[in-house]
Amino acid sequence: MRPVIVVHGGAGRIFKEREEGCRAGVVRAALQGYGVLKQGGSALDAVEEAVRSMEDDPHFNAGCGSVLNEEGEVEMDAIIMDGKNLASGAVSAVKCIANPIKLARLVMEKTKHMLLTDHGAQLFAQAMGVPEIPGEKLITERSRERWKKNLEPDSNPVEFQKDLGTVGAVAVDSEGNVACATSTGGLSNKLVGRVGDTACIGSGGYADNSSGATSTTGHGESIMKVVLARLILYHMEQGMSPEMAADTALEYMKTRVGGLGGVIVVSSSGEWAASLMDFSRCCVMGFLWGQMSECRH
């Protein structure tokens, strides 16, 4: 089996002054994830490494660079899933953690649970020896300015959501195992404790060796209503290609609940697709057979 990894940096508008940095960050993440696969590593390790890279990149709405909630704090969600045995781990509303995706994997491997949130996730991180960092270190000037603008009486929070960059990765390794990972800071000026689709299995991501893996981005509440990630794999199980399954599921979400989003998908045989519904731009990088392929809308 020839390994494949596909990485996305979120759906939405990319302002021109940020385009180069966003593209470089996605390329870097895909290269690092593919490096794991080239050395015989697992799909699970590859997607974790790719997402960790983007969590460390302030261009994206994940880890350092996450948007702020209504109180001006960073609260982050992440999920990781292994298609071999359907094992999954997730965290939600976590603070003061540089890499939520690493904590999500620890939830999967070191507990009997699938999702830990807020204070409980913080206590678990301490028990696992995960370093805690000051929340200020996760806040960029761009995120702070966005938060301040959204507090103004005449602000338009919806407009300021259009260039958010939830991150994700899907992969299939040389053993034919698939995996997915997704991480986000959520919506700017969200209510304290708001959790979107990212941490919800079947919504923010899903992986199953019998069909494939997918990672989603877009309007979280809409994605949760249709369980978008699992819906895509259901369509693939009915015989659709990854591209057709993604397009069909996104169209259903738009028609049924008026939601917009984007997805990346890889099948268990290595076929991949990236689909975007009515967003102006995104950047997706896929590595197949050692060759880089770019999908930009």
Side-chain angles (χ1 to χ4, degrees), residues 184-226:
T184 189
L187 296 176
S188 184
N189 294 68
K190 62 189 177 183
L191 292 177
V192 173
R194 179 265 185 184
V195 176
D197 65 291
T198 294
C200 300
I201 188 170
S203 293
Y206 202 82
D208 186 342
N209 278 8
S210 67
S211 48
T214 183
S215 171
T216 67
T217 178
H219 184 244
E221 281 71 14
S222 296
I223 290 171
M224 286 189 283
K225 288 175 183 177
V226 301

Side-chain angles (χ1 to χ4, degrees), residues 145-184:
E145 286 301 313
R146 179 200 302 273
W147 173 70
K148 288 180 180 178
K149 285 180 182 295
N150 282 336
L151 293 176
E152 296 173 0
D154 59 347
S155 67
N156 182 2
V158 174
E159 182 67 20
F160 281 97
Q161 304 294 350
K162 290 185 177 178
D163 67 328
L164 302 185
T166 292
V167 304
V170 295
V172 56
D173 60 32
S174 58
E175 299 296 319
N177 297 311
V178 300
C180 72
T182 312
S183 182
T184 189

Side-chain angles (χ1 to χ4, degrees), residues 3 31 33 49 55 62 89 93 104 113 122 125 132 136 143 145 163 220 229 231-232 248 250 254 275:
L31 280 170
E49 178 61 22
E55 287 177 338
H113 309 304
Q122 181 183 6
E132 189 171 301
E136 287 291 317
S143 292
E145 286 301 313
D163 67 328
L231 180 61
I232 292 168
T248 300
L250 285 171
K254 180 184 178 184
S275 186

Side-chain angles (χ1 to χ4, degrees), residues 66-173:
S66 292
V67 298
L68 310 185
N69 65 17
E70 62 179 353
E71 298 295 332
E73 298 177 315
V74 167
E75 289 184 318
M76 302 166 290
D77 307 332
I79 192 169
I80 192 167
M81 187 168 184
D82 187 346
K84 181 165 53 177
N85 55 8
L86 304 188
S88 181
V91 292
S92 66
V94 295
K95 304 174 183 177
C96 303
I97 298 292
N99 298 113
I101 196 64
K102 289 185 173 293
L103 188 57
R105 183 161 182 183
L106 286 171
V107 171
M108 180 180 72
E109 295 181 340
K110 302 297 184 181
T111 79
K112 296 179 181 179
H113 309 304
M114 291 179 61
L115 171 62
L116 292 180
T117 191
D118 196 12
H119 183 59
Q122 181 183 6
L123 291 176
F124 175 68
Q126 292 172 355
M128 291 291 102
V130 176
E132 189 171 301
I133 65 172
E136 287 291 317
K137 287 199 170 183
L138 297 173
I139 300 176
T140 62
E141 188 59 33
R142 175 171 163 264
S143 292
R144 195 183 300 280
E145 286 301 313
R146 179 200 302 273
W147 173 70
K148 288 180 180 178
K149 285 180 182 295
N150 282 336
L151 293 176
E152 296 173 0
D154 59 347
S155 67
N156 182 2
V158 174
E159 182 67 20
F160 281 97
Q161 304 294 350
K162 290 185 177 178
D163 67 328
L164 302 185
T166 292
V167 304
V170 295
V172 56
D173 60 32

